[in-house]
Each structure stands twice: as C-alpha cells, then as structure tokens.
C-alpha cells in the first residue's frame, strides 16, 4: 500500500507524530512518503513561526481573544475562511506532490494539510479510491478544522473533542478516539534500575523539567531554588532550545550543582520519563501523552495559551495535571507538601482513562485494514 503522510513544522509535535506513523507503516510493509507541506517555503514558515512566538510572548491575551473568536466562526464558511488564504502560497506545490505520488491513503498530522487535501478532493483531482485520514494533535480542535470536513476519518486522543467536531459539521462515524499516537517505545519494558544507575540517579524524588520551543526562565529558576535540596534530584531536557540548555549548564557549572542532570535533545524520553516522579512542562499534546503513557504525573508552572491552555484545563479537571501559578508555588509544594506520593498515586490512577500505548499500532492497523481494535 502507498501511504502519503503530510506534516507541518509548527512546533515539534506534528513531525514526531508523522515519524511515528512512518516507522509503524513501514514496519507493516507499506511504501511511505512523508511531505512537510512548507518544504518549498521554509523561509515563509520560519517567519510565521517567529512571528507567532513573538505575538504569544508579547501580546498573549490579544492573540488568545482572536483565536477563540475564530473558533466560533460559522462552520458553513469553511471554504471562505482565513485558512484558505493562508494555504495559497503552498497549495500548488503540495497538490502536485500529492497527485504525483497517487497514494492509496493520505494521513495528515496538521489541519493545514488536511484542508489542502480536502480542497484537492473538491476539485476532483484526487484519486477517488484514495482515503483521507487526519490526526487531531490536541484534545480540542483548532479554528478552521471545519475545512477538513471531507476527511474519511479523524483519529482523536479522546472523546473530549466530540461535541466541538459535531458542531463543525462532522458526523459521529468520522470520529475515532483511538488515543494519541506516541511511539510504541513508551509501552515497552526496560530495566529501570539499570538505567537509573547509568544516569547516576538515586531513589530521591525525581523532577523532570522539559522546556519547550517557546522558551521560559521558570525551569532554570526551579533548578536554582531546589539546587540545595538534598531530597530532590532533577533532570533538565531542553530539546532543540540551545539557549536554555547553555544557561542551565552555565549555572550548574558555576555553582557546582550536584542534584541536576542537564540534557539537550533527549532521544530516550521513554526511559527518562519512567525514572521520574513528576514532569514540569508546557502543554503540547505529544509530551503530555508521552507522560501519560509513562504513568508520569504532570505539572505546569507557566501561563498557557490557546490550544495548550485547553489541554491544560481538561487534564487538570481530570486530576491528571497539577497547575501551579508560578515556579515558586511548585518549589513550595516540593519542599513542604507531605502528601506528594498520595497525590501522585491518585493522578496515575486517573491517567488510565487516556492511556493507550498501542494507539499508533491501532491507527495504522485501522488505516490498512479498516478494522477497529478489539
């Protein structure tokens, strides 16, 4: 089977999901092509991403207000809304690649991609036998998901999105809540004790700090505040955020901090999460569901906006996430709370409603065989 995966570099989550899908589809013997829809317009994408980060950082409330207003637009305007203008610079190039590859199945990990494919279908330029699938990479849909109405199915992390998708015009049979497609590695066993020894970790309370693409100083402040706490050990992961890594490294070396391991990009998150007691992070769904599938309670210490705020609120209400106003509140909780393990045990129990380490396999098997998991 020929499978065309369309992704977009808006943060790292969509590309991680597309890579997970690619590996699983190829493992099952399929021919897979991955296309980043902004491949021919990387400069435009970089400008858009930098502009978005600037707006979120300096005008967060205004951006949030506009975003929520767009979510309430009439879904019947799906072919006349703003996204139709935004995809114009890349539409022709992506359309040519899709038609040329002529896949049996197209899987989209971003709603820009699924909008493009649905438009090609409307133009009657897509092979009538080609199936279109989309992956919802947040707990609730963004504005303009209504423009992906012609997808055959949408795979969702949960049923939290059901009502909003129905309001956007989708029917119940299109919505498949299979779970979030994290790597199968997050469900595989490994020698935890041996790995802790490799990282020189003891049995102390272990905090995993994961910085995001939008940098925050809160993680360094947590390290500074807890660096003298002999009952705590920390693992700091900065991903591709080199500046954050260098600042933390400089502080650790200057002050001889012994209870913190500083990592840049981490290729073993499935193991690092399993040796931790709590993760402090932003609220992108990929990291959230990697944590959930690792039975790792989640905490946030910075303000969240738009889709990440929705993710945060839902998981907080479900007792899966602890929301702190700032890093000071979190540090106080670590230092003072006597019932931490009781709270964390309750959170791990609550996570089971969202946990499905086999979601990626379930999605790929459905795409290939059109059968739901038993």
């Amino acid at each position: 089977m020929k499978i065309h995966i369309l992704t977009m570099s808006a943060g790292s989550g969509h590309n991680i999901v597309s890579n997970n899908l690619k590996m699983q589809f190829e493992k099952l013997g399929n021919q897979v092509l991955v296309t980043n829809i902004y491949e021919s317009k990387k400069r435009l994408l970089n400008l858009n991403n930098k502009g978005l980060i600037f707006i979120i950082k300096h005008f967060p409330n205004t951006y949030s207000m506009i975003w929520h207003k767009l979510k309430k637009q009439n879904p019947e305007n799906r072919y006349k809304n703003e996204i139709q203008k935004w995809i114009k610079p890349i539409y022709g190039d992506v359309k040519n690649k899709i038609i040329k590859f002529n896949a049996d199945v197209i899987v989209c990990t971003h709603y820009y991609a699924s909008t493009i494919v649905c438009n090609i279908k409307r133009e009657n330029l897509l092979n009538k036998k080609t199936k279109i699938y989309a992956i919802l990479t947040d707990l609730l849909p963004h504005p303009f998901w209504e423009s992906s109405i012609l997808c055959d199915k949408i795979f969702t992390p949960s049923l939290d999105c059901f009502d909003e998708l129905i309001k956007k015009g989708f029917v119940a049979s299109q919505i498949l809540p299979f779970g979030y497609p994290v790597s199968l590695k997050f469900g595989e066993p490994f020698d935890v004790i041996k790995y802790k020894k490799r990282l020189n970790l003891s049995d102390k309370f272990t905090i995993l700090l994961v910085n995001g693409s939008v940098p925050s100083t809160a993680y360094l402040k947590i390290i500074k505040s807890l660096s003298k706490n002999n009952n705590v050990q920390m693992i700091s992961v900065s991903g591709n955020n080199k500046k954050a890594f260098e600042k933390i490294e400089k502080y650790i070396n200057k002050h001889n901090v012994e209870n913190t391991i500083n990592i840049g990009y981490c290729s073993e998150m499935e193991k690092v999460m399993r040796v931790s007691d709590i993760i402090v992070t932003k609220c992108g769904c990929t990291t959230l569901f990697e944590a959930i599938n690792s039975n790792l309670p989640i905490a946030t210490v910075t303000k969240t906006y738009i889709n990440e705020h929705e993710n945060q609120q839902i998981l907080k209400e479900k007792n899966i996430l602890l929301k702190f106003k700032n890093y000071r509140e979190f540090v106080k909780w670590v230092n003072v709370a006597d019932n931490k393990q009781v709270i964390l045990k309750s959170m791990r129990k609550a996570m089971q409603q969202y946990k499905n380490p086999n979601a990626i396999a379930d999605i790929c098997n459905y795409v290939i065989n059109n059968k739901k998991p038993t």
Side-chain angles (χ1 to χ4, degrees):
M1 182 178 283
K2 290 175 70 176
I3 299 172
H4 199 167
I5 300 172
L6 302 180
T7 186
M8 177 173 160
S9 299
S12 60
H14 304 285
N15 291 336
I16 291 172
V17 169
S18 67
N19 188 53
N20 292 340
L21 290 165
K22 179 179 185 291
M23 288 192 294
Q24 185 63 18
F25 279 130
E26 288 181 339
K27 184 179 176 183
L28 297 171
N30 299 283
Q31 180 185 351
V32 183
L33 174 67
V34 176
T35 295
N36 190 316
I37 61 173
Y38 271 89
E39 199 170 307
S40 64
K41 300 285 183 179
K42 289 181 181 178
R43 187 177 177 184
L44 176 61
L45 178 64
N46 289 336
L47 286 171
N48 287 345
N49 285 342
K50 286 179 180 178
L52 182 61
I53 290 171
F54 179 85
I55 292 169
I56 291 173
K57 186 175 180 181
H58 296 283
F59 307 101
N61 295 328
T62 302
Y63 182 65
S64 182
M65 181 184 69
I66 294 170
W67 193 84
H68 284 288
K69 186 178 180 180
L70 291 172
K71 281 195 79 169
K72 295 176 183 177
Q73 280 189 333
N74 185 347
E76 294 304 316
N77 294 328
R78 59 177 56 89
Y79 302 126
K80 300 176 183 177
N81 57 25
E82 287 82 350
I83 195 173
Q84 302 297 345
K85 301 173 187 174
W86 298 342
I87 63 174
K88 273 187 178 181
I90 58 172
Y91 184 72
D93 181 65
V94 176
K95 179 172 71 174
N96 290 338
K97 288 178 180 177
I98 289 171
I99 293 171
K100 182 178 180 181
F101 189 64
N102 192 25
D104 301 295
V105 169
I106 297 174
V107 182
C108 305
T109 68
H110 194 283
Y111 65 99
Y112 273 41
S114 51
T115 298
I116 289 172
V117 180
C118 289
N119 284 357
I120 297 170
K121 185 174 183 177
R122 283 179 63 228
E123 292 181 41
N124 293 316
L125 295 175
L126 194 68
N127 189 322
K128 288 181 170 55
K129 294 181 180 179
T130 300
K131 294 286 185 181
I132 309 169
Y133 298 99
I135 310 286
L136 179 61
T137 54
D138 283 296
L139 289 171
L140 297 178
H142 287 238
F144 312 126
W145 258 94
E146 60 270 18
S147 300
S148 300
I149 193 77
L150 296 181
C151 289
D152 292 281
K153 304 289 180 183
I154 296 178
F155 296 105
T156 69
S158 68
L159 278 172
D160 294 301
C161 61
F162 186 84
D163 290 345
E164 287 198 16
L165 287 174
I166 295 297
K167 287 177 183 177
K168 288 180 178 293
F170 294 90
V171 296
S173 60
Q174 284 178 284
I175 304 166
L176 299 178
F178 280 20
Y180 196 90
V182 302
S183 170
L184 287 172
K185 293 187 293 183
F186 286 87
E188 295 172 354
F190 73 100
D191 193 328
V192 174
I193 296 173
K194 187 176 180 181
Y195 190 73
K196 287 178 78 170
K197 286 183 178 178
R198 180 178 142 193
L199 294 183
N200 199 27
L201 293 171
S202 66
D203 291 327
K204 295 177 182 178
F205 188 72
T206 306
I207 302 167
L208 175 59
L209 304 168
V210 179
N211 219 330
S213 54
V214 180
S216 170
T217 58
Y219 302 93
L220 176 56
K221 289 174 181 176
I222 290 172
I223 292 170
K224 289 180 178 179
S225 302
L226 294 173
S227 61
K228 303 299 182 184
N229 188 328
N230 293 324
N231 298 314
V232 167
Q233 55 194 357
M234 292 171 281
I235 305 170
S236 175
V237 175
S238 302
N240 295 319
N241 194 332
K242 292 182 180 179
K243 287 185 178 179
F245 171 79
E246 288 168 358
K247 284 182 180 179
I248 291 170
E249 189 73 7
K250 183 178 179 180
Y251 180 83
I252 288 173
N253 292 333
K254 183 177 179 179
H255 298 276
N256 296 315
V257 177
E258 296 181 353
N259 68 344
T260 301
I261 300 169
N262 190 28
I263 303 172
Y265 179 81
C266 182
S267 60
E268 296 182 317
M269 284 298 289
E270 75 282 0
K271 295 180 180 179
V272 171
M273 285 187 173
R274 290 274 294 280
V275 298
S276 302
D277 292 293
I278 192 167
I279 179 173
V280 182
T281 185
K282 300 290 183 68
C283 285
C285 251
T286 299
T287 301
L288 292 177
F289 275 86
E290 287 175 349
I292 287 169
N293 283 289
S294 301
N295 285 321
L296 181 60
I298 303 158
T300 60
V301 297
T302 55
K303 285 185 178 181
T304 55
Y305 301 97
I306 57 171
N307 54 308
E308 290 197 1
H309 181 70
E310 292 178 333
N311 295 336
Q312 180 191 55
Q313 289 300 106
I314 290 170
L315 296 186
K316 179 178 178 287
E317 290 169 7
K318 300 288 178 70
N319 190 36
I320 293 171
L321 180 148
L322 294 174
K323 179 182 175 182
F324 296 93
K325 288 182 180 179
N326 50 49
Y327 82 93
R328 293 184 188 88
E329 269 198 1
F330 175 74
V331 169
K332 182 179 178 181
W333 180 80
V334 171
N335 285 330
V336 177
D338 294 326
N339 61 340
K340 284 195 289 292
Q341 293 302 339
V342 174
I343 293 171
L344 298 181
K345 184 178 179 181
S346 173
M347 293 173 72
R348 291 188 191 100
K349 185 177 180 181
M351 285 179 174
Q352 303 313 306
Q353 63 188 296
Y354 284 97
K355 185 178 178 181
N356 180 12
N358 294 314
I360 190 81
D362 292 341
I363 289 169
C364 292
N365 288 335
Y366 181 89
V367 167
I368 295 166
N369 304 310
N370 261 274
K371 291 180 180 179
K372 292 183 180 181
T374 54

